[in-house]
Amino acid sequence: MKTKYLNLFWAVLATVILIYEFSDGKQHSIAIFGQQFKVWYLTIIWSIVAIKNYYSFYFKLKSELITQK
């Protein structure tokens, strides 16, 4: 699998997680490996993951189209 599609997968996954976090609204913290994290920290992390991967996917696709011309 090419890395551009892996970037797209992670971007879509992060978007789905963000939509779930904002639509649920009932949970204020989450426990990961015994550590309590506020949901806002995870929201920021998943937002960064989504933006980075959409950006990488777009520019890899754009550079591939340029090289095909």
Side-chain angles (χ1 to χ4, degrees):
M1 180 186 329
K2 294 185 177 185
T3 59
K4 70 178 180 180
Y5 294 116
L6 192 58
N7 286 336
L8 184 61
F9 167 75
W10 280 108
V12 170
L13 178 66
T15 303
V16 168
I17 289 172
L18 286 171
I19 290 170
Y20 174 75
E21 289 296 330
F22 283 118
S23 67
D24 186 21
K26 297 178 183 175
Q27 197 168 0
H28 297 289
S29 66
I30 189 169
I32 300 174
F33 299 116
Q35 299 285 333
Q36 290 289 329
F37 292 98
K38 296 281 185 187
V39 172
W40 285 107
Y41 295 133
L42 297 175
T43 303
I44 291 169
I45 290 170
W46 281 113
S47 297
I48 291 169
V49 168
I51 291 168
K52 179 218 167 270
N53 284 301
Y54 278 126
Y55 180 82
S56 295
F57 174 74
Y58 173 74
F59 282 103
K60 284 181 183 178
L61 185 64
K62 185 177 176 183
S63 67
E64 186 178 291
L65 290 175
I66 289 172
T67 58
Q68 287 180 355
K69 287 184 178 180

